[in-house]
Amino acid sequence: MTRSAPRNDPEPEPDDAQPAPYATKGRLDRIVGLVIVGLVTLAAALLWLAVAANGPDTSISESHDAVVGVWSVLYNSDAPEMNVILSAIALALLAGAGLALVERRIATKARRSMNPGHQPLAPKVVMSANRGAFAGEVTVTVLIPAHNEEASLPQTIASLKSQSHRPERIIVVADNCTDATVRLAREAGVEVIESVDNTHKKAGALNQALKTVLPQQGDNDVVMIMDADTQLDDGFLANAVVRFVDDRALMAVGGLFYGEDGHGLIGQFQRNEYIRYSRQMRRRRGRVFVLTGTASLFRPLALRTIAASRGRTIPGTPGDVYDTAALTEDNELTIAIKSLGGLMISPQDCTVVTELMPSWRTLWNQRLRWQRGALENIGAYGVTAPTMRYWAQQLGIGYGVIALSAYLALILITVVSLETWIWFPFWLGLGLLFTLERIITVWKGGWKARLLAATLFPELFFDMFLNLVYVKGVVDLSFGRKASWTHLTHAAPAPALESQEA
């Protein structure tokens, strides 16, 4: 394939055009959790006051008996007043539509930006710089960060080599490996870069590798970074390359992931969760929320620009692509590209299979790192236009913690305080609608996914587990407790039995 000459890092702008060094003003750091807790508590209190002001009738004098055989069932046909129902619907629609409009306005403003000082990756800026120039065919260089991944790495490499559009280079970035990872990578015929004195986990190892790889990349090459426990579905790379060819301003393509088979009930919980996330991305037409670390592709221009912008317009150490202070490096890199005006997408035809956590302890550790990292990321960037969507998500999760906890607590109080169970048809109808929504959103997952969704309460308790993770993340961040980066150790593959002579 024809390749363009390697492109150097962006040259510094003239002194009068350089953005000021990245300031800490506006950053929330440790208090980000307290800010979110305060806001969602205030919102819940206002809602409670609004409902209480209507003075709902709490009596059950209008309950009716329904005798079925020897069973006597009481039910109450009362429902909230119509103005309360309409107000709730209006507020929900207003919140959803308002967030969508704000997000679209922010995206439109970034697309139209011609400010290379603050948004050097904005589509107009990028396209004006490469208009009329042919930079050669798109090539793909894959970096696979690996720390003791002998069990899963061979399957990952095999999935890359079986792609209809095979990558031109596959590089395993071996970080402090003490198993057979390096040997297996070389036996598979791929390149290996071993980290040197790295103490910054995955992000540090990738930074070292990228400083070697990026200078070799041309304008029309792309760098893919994928986990060592991920397998690409066929067509992933071919479809991603088409996206880059069709849109010269596109800076990144992320994959949509779904869970591997197995791991019993806890595995099905995670598969249902990932199916719903993919459905949400489809409804958003691929507009990315997070460029998944499982598999994402980047133009070298985006990675070079991030490295050049660290410490100036975005947080981090100057010259580093990845912020080694971030617990969730993929989430932070997504915010960095958005803050620089970059365009990205997660198309439905780029899917991968990723590992699932096999136990509640490992799932707790994984989600705590994700949650704490997400809070730290928005705390580091502060309240800006590109981070508004992330703030809204954290506020929504916080409000959901209060709402679901109150709902389950109310059920428990009702059960222990009443001698006779009373059905409320209105709320029962809402519950059935909610259950139907849960089933539809996992329909593609098969009968096991649908059955779990139909039972409703197991998934609600799984949601409560995630809510506890959220609360723990807020508490740890607020008290400045040291965060940990955990690694799931995979079982080594069973050695092949050598044939023996009789």
Side-chain angles (χ1 to χ4, degrees):
M1 290 186 178
T2 305
R3 292 170 61 90
S4 60
R7 177 172 178 170
N8 297 324
D9 292 345
E11 296 182 359
E13 302 166 4
D15 291 341
D16 58 351
Q18 281 192 3
Y22 187 78
T24 58
K25 183 179 180 181
R27 292 178 57 179
L28 299 174
D29 294 325
R30 284 171 51 181
I31 68 169
V32 59
L34 297 177
V35 171
I36 290 174
V37 169
L39 290 174
V40 298
T41 302
L42 177 62
L46 291 175
L47 178 62
W48 181 81
L49 290 173
V51 173
N54 286 280
D57 183 11
T58 59
S59 68
I60 59 173
S61 57
E62 296 184 8
S63 296
H64 305 280
D65 288 328
V67 179
V68 181
V70 297
W71 296 99
S72 178
V73 179
L74 295 179
Y75 69 93
N76 190 312
S77 59
D78 289 343
E81 296 182 5
M82 186 56 65
N83 64 327
V84 174
I85 297 175
L86 294 178
S87 297
I89 295 174
L91 286 174
L93 292 175
L94 181 63
L99 180 60
L101 289 174
V102 169
E103 188 176 18
R104 181 174 292 275
R105 179 173 178 81
I106 292 171
T108 301
K109 185 176 180 180
R111 284 175 176 270
R112 297 175 178 175
S113 173
M114 281 296 293
N115 186 345
H118 289 277
Q119 291 191 312
L121 296 180
K124 278 196 172 184
V125 175
V126 173
M127 295 185 73
S128 65
N130 61 25
R131 182 174 288 110
F134 177 66
E137 303 292 339
V138 173
T139 68
V140 179
T141 297
V142 180
L143 298 183
I144 307 175
H147 172 69
N148 293 343
E149 298 286 358
E150 64 177 10
S152 58
L153 183 61
Q155 290 77 23
T156 299
I157 295 174
S159 77
L160 285 168
K161 290 187 174 183
S162 65
Q163 289 286 298
S164 56
H165 182 112
R166 292 184 60 172
E168 279 65 27
R169 297 177 69 187
I170 302 175
I171 304 173
V172 173
V173 183
D175 180 38
N176 299 318
C177 294
T178 58
D179 65 354
T181 294
V182 173
R183 176 177 61 81
L184 291 175
R186 287 177 175 151
E187 289 177 355
V190 303
E191 302 175 51
V192 176
I193 295 178
E194 297 188 62
S195 62
V196 180
D197 299 326
N198 176 44
T199 59
H200 295 295
K201 305 295 182 181
K202 175 181 174 181
L206 284 172
N207 281 337
Q208 290 186 14
L210 287 168
K211 287 177 181 178
T212 299
V213 172
L214 279 181
Q216 306 169 11
Q217 300 295 301
D219 288 351
N220 218 25
D221 301 327
V222 295
V223 176
M224 178 176 182
I225 299 173
M226 68 178 294
D227 288 341
D229 49 30
T230 295
Q231 287 82 51
L232 304 182
D233 286 337
D234 188 32
F236 184 107
L237 290 181
N239 289 311
V241 167
V242 169
R243 298 278 180 169
F244 282 113
V245 171
D246 291 344
D247 190 345
R248 291 181 294 123
L250 186 63
M251 290 293 106
V253 172
L256 291 179
F257 49 90
Y258 58 93
E260 62 185 356
D261 293 332
H263 306 302
L265 181 61
I266 190 173
Q268 193 62 56
F269 280 136
Q270 295 170 79
R271 282 189 290 273
N272 281 15
E273 183 184 18
Y274 293 165
I275 290 170
R276 291 190 177 102
Y277 175 78
S278 295
R279 185 175 185 272
Q280 182 184 11
M281 288 298 100
R282 182 169 63 252
R283 291 165 64 88
R284 288 170 54 85
R285 298 180 180 178
R287 292 193 298 274
V288 179
F289 190 66
V290 176
L291 287 168
T292 173
T294 55
S296 293
L297 298 93
F298 307 88
R299 287 197 191 272
L301 172 62
L303 301 180
R304 294 189 184 106
T305 303
I306 291 172
S309 302
R310 294 284 185 199
R312 296 167 62 236
T313 57
I314 58 176
T317 302
D320 284 352
V321 174
Y322 284 92
D323 184 2
T324 56
L327 275 176
T328 48
E329 64 283 332
D330 48 351
N331 185 69
E332 195 281 335
L333 196 68
T334 306
I335 299 177
I337 294 177
K338 286 190 175 184
S339 298
L340 297 173
L343 181 65
M344 61 193 78
I345 190 172
S346 286
Q348 290 295 308
D349 44 17
C350 292
T351 56
V352 303
V353 182
T354 190
E355 69 169 350
L356 299 177
M357 295 298 102
S359 67
W360 292 104
R361 179 179 293 276
T362 55
L363 182 62
W364 174 274
N365 291 335
Q366 180 199 59
R367 297 311 173 87
L368 184 59
R369 182 172 68 88
W370 289 2
Q371 182 56 61
R372 171 102 181 240
L375 290 170
E376 289 181 349
N377 291 159
I378 61 174
Y381 278 82
V383 182
T384 65
T387 62
M388 288 295 293
R389 184 67 172 77
Y390 300 89
W391 279 97
Q393 183 206 36
Q394 293 302 317
L395 289 170
I397 294 174
Y399 190 84
V401 171
I402 295 176
L404 182 57
S405 300
Y407 172 72
L408 294 178
L410 181 60
I411 291 178
L412 179 61
I413 292 173
T414 302
V415 169
V416 300
S417 61
L418 294 180
E419 296 180 357
T420 303
W421 184 260
I422 302 175
W423 291 105
F424 293 84
F426 175 82
W427 297 110
L428 184 60
L430 289 183
L432 291 175
L433 287 176
F434 180 71
T435 303
L436 183 62
E437 184 270 341
R438 303 287 287 188
I439 296 172
I440 292 174
T441 53
V442 298
W443 193 262
K444 287 189 174 182
W447 70 268
K448 290 183 179 179
R450 301 167 200 164
L451 178 62
L452 181 59
T455 54
L456 186 60
F457 279 95
E459 283 200 319
L460 289 183
F461 287 115
F462 178 70
D463 290 341
M464 278 302 301
F465 171 83
L466 299 181
N467 287 347
L468 291 176
V469 173
Y470 176 87
V471 173
K472 181 67 162 59
V474 170
V475 171
D476 286 353
L477 181 60
S478 301
F479 283 93
R481 295 172 182 168
K482 184 178 179 180
S484 60
W485 198 101
T486 56
H487 174 75
L488 177 62
T489 302
H490 300 88
L497 295 177
E498 296 182 357
S499 61
Q500 299 179 354
E501 295 182 357

